Amino acid sequence: FSKAPLFGVFCFWAIANLLSLFFTTGDFVVGLKRYLDFVVEAAVFFFLVVASLRTRDDAMRVLRAACLGLALVAALAFIEKYTHFNPCNYLLSNAGAASGEEYHAGFGDVSATYQHRILLGTGMVMGFPLVFALMLAAQRRLARIRLLWFFLALMLAGCYFANSRGPWIAAVLAGSVLMLLGRVVIRRKLTVILALAGLVLASKPGVLETLINSAKATGDAQSLKGGNFRYRLELWKVAWTQISGSPSRLLFGCGPGCGLETSVDWKLSYRSDQQEEIWSWDNQLAYDLFQSGLVGFAASLALYGGLLLAVYRSWRDSDPGDQPLMACLLASLLAYAFMLTNVLMFTKPLNFLFWTIAAIAYAIGRNPQSQEVQILEEPHFVETEPSSFEPHGSHSLSRS
């Protein structure tokens, strides 16, 4: 493990959160479970996946599996949207599942296999750049290309069905990265998507109306959507106020999982006459500041920022044939990083998806494609010198 990418930063992250656990003001057992679930398990998972992806072909197999899984989730979201029936809730006997009457009344949220609609949108927006990556591999296989376009349409529709501004903005951000870094082969596909999106907006005015109304509501602090937008910003103030009362809290926070067991009485700055009980932390980075203090927050920034920087450097230093693929992986990772400011990542599948994509990016960077081989052609791959993703390289992940 000591030679694995990001090992040093993961150690910093794990130690910072462990110190936070020792200084916890909440239930120690709850904090320990949270620490094991979302810190130790994430690190071990990443190291195991990285160690198992020995070749480029291994990485592409895992990428195809991740895309297929997200496509199935998107299909379930499509079914739930138009039939008001969630098979997952039925099979799991979820008592919180919305009924058909609630859907018709406008209260039903499409969530598919996730526990919240925003988490669904996050998964979908992480998935659509991965479909572009598989399109590069498909080349002239017409049947596979058609299937991938179908997957792409499902995922973009699932992102829209989530009915959340955060994933929509993340989709624009991911698309911008693909447009800037994806070279001509990706830009052509994005142009097709933009043209199709224009046709959808022209044929279904309700879609455009929904987007415009959401944008207008964001500017109104008294509206539900406007309040939710400002609430996510307000959580930074809440977190800082809670940890700044003592030196130990300032450095190490209130402990892992503390916000899940306790609530904070708070007077909202954007609604001066309203007292709010803060129990929902819809901002993962603000929650990291609250539960692990300045040290843990710095560790989180170093971990996620170091990974994104390393993937960007790998894109920059890779062969022209590999750059579109690396751009797709970077766009997916960046979408997740942006969503850390919009939702609490309390469900592990998204975390596992994020670290799986990170491991794929490392494997691709470690096994660059020779210029003689066409983009992602599968028959054989050439293993060359270590790239910028190699732990002992000049831009290693372990140093980022």
Side-chain angles (χ1 to χ4, degrees):
F1 278 180
S2 62
K3 295 182 179 181
L6 289 176
F7 180 78
V9 186
F10 262 116
C11 286
F12 176 34
W13 190 52
I15 293 172
N17 282 276
L18 184 62
L19 291 173
S20 175
L21 176 63
F22 290 147
F23 284 93
T24 184
T25 59
D27 190 324
F28 181 82
V29 174
V30 173
L32 178 60
K33 290 180 178 179
R34 180 83 182 180
Y35 178 78
L36 294 175
D37 280 348
F38 289 90
V39 177
V40 175
E41 191 169 337
V44 172
F45 175 82
F46 174 69
F47 294 146
L48 289 175
V49 175
V50 163
S52 66
L53 300 183
R54 298 181 180 275
T55 67
R56 188 186 185 93
D57 196 31
D58 292 338
M60 294 307 299
R61 286 195 187 98
V62 174
L63 180 60
R64 285 191 287 269
C67 259
L68 179 59
L70 290 171
L72 291 175
V73 173
L76 290 173
F78 191 88
I79 293 172
E80 184 178 359
K81 173 66 176 179
Y82 290 104
T83 67
H84 308 149
F85 171 72
N86 187 329
C88 298
N89 289 340
Y90 175 77
L91 293 174
L92 298 175
S93 300
N94 190 338
S99 65
E101 290 77 8
E102 288 173 319
Y103 275 105
H104 289 300
F107 299 112
D109 290 335
V110 176
S111 58
T113 61
Y114 293 101
Q115 294 171 279
H116 196 279
R117 58 184 174 84
I118 302 180
L119 298 177
L120 168 65
T122 303
M124 296 297 95
V125 75
M126 291 177 68
F128 93 83
L130 304 183
V131 177
F132 277 118
L134 291 186
M135 286 181 178
L136 299 175
Q139 289 296 300
R140 299 179 180 86
R141 300 167 187 169
L142 187 58
R144 182 176 296 184
I145 290 175
R146 288 174 178 171
L147 181 62
L148 290 173
W149 276 108
F150 177 66
F151 285 175
L152 182 63
L154 281 178
M155 290 183 192
L156 292 176
C159 183
Y160 175 73
F161 295 155
N163 193 28
S164 176
R165 293 156 296 173
W168 298 346
I169 297 174
V172 174
L173 179 63
S176 300
V177 171
L178 293 175
M179 184 67 74
L180 291 173
L181 306 182
R183 302 175 68 89
V184 176
V185 66
I186 295 292
R187 291 170 190 155
R188 289 174 179 170
K189 294 176 173 60
L190 285 173
T191 302
V192 174
I193 290 178
L194 292 175
L196 293 176
L199 292 175
V200 171
L201 294 177
S203 60
K204 292 183 175 294
V207 175
L208 181 60
E209 184 179 355
T210 298
L211 298 176
I212 293 175
N213 290 340
S214 294
K216 290 181 178 178
T218 302
D220 182 6
Q222 302 305 315
S223 68
L224 177 62
K225 289 186 177 294
N228 289 340
F229 170 72
R230 285 164 177 78
Y231 178 77
R232 287 168 170 81
L233 299 177
E234 190 85 0
L235 288 174
W236 290 107
K237 298 180 181 179
V238 177
W240 178 256
T241 302
Q242 293 301 306
I243 68 171
S244 59
S246 69
S248 62
R249 279 196 178 187
L250 183 64
L251 291 175
F252 306 113
C254 300
C258 188
L260 303 178
E261 296 294 316
T262 60
S263 59
V264 179
D265 291 329
W266 184 262
K267 193 171 185 178
L268 298 175
S269 62
Y270 56 92
R271 291 176 182 170
S272 57
D273 59 338
Q274 183 173 341
Q275 191 80 11
E276 183 80 10
E277 186 179 24
I278 305 296
W279 58 270
S280 175
W281 288 84
D282 299 331
N283 182 331
Q284 180 65 53
L285 292 180
Y287 185 63
D288 285 348
L289 179 63
F290 171 73
Q291 70 174 352
S292 56
L294 292 177
V295 176
F297 180 69
S300 294
L301 292 183
L303 182 64
Y304 294 113
L307 173 62
L308 292 174
L309 180 60
V311 177
Y312 171 76
R313 285 173 171 170
S314 185
W315 168 85
R316 183 191 62 191
D317 299 336
S318 61
D319 294 334
D322 267 342
Q323 286 187 339
L325 173 58
M326 295 304 300
C328 293
L329 299 176
L330 178 60
S332 182
L333 295 172
L334 189 60
Y336 177 93
F338 172 78
M339 288 305 298
L340 292 176
T341 64
N342 281 261
V343 68
L344 180 67
M345 298 294 180
F346 60 86
T347 180
K348 288 187 287 185
L350 283 178
N351 295 329
F352 290 152
L353 175 62
F354 176 81
W355 292 116
T356 298
I357 297 170
I360 292 171
Y362 168 74
I364 296 297
R366 186 178 56 184
N367 298 284
Q369 178 177 246
S370 65
Q371 294 184 0
E372 291 78 17
V373 183
Q374 292 183 353
I375 296 176
L376 297 180
E377 189 174 356
E378 295 185 41
H380 86 280
F381 302 97
V382 178
E383 190 162 340
T384 64
E385 293 298 318
S387 71
S388 60
F389 259 95
E390 193 65 32
H392 299 293
S394 59
H395 300 303
S396 71
L397 276 173
S398 58
R399 295 183 184 180
S400 298

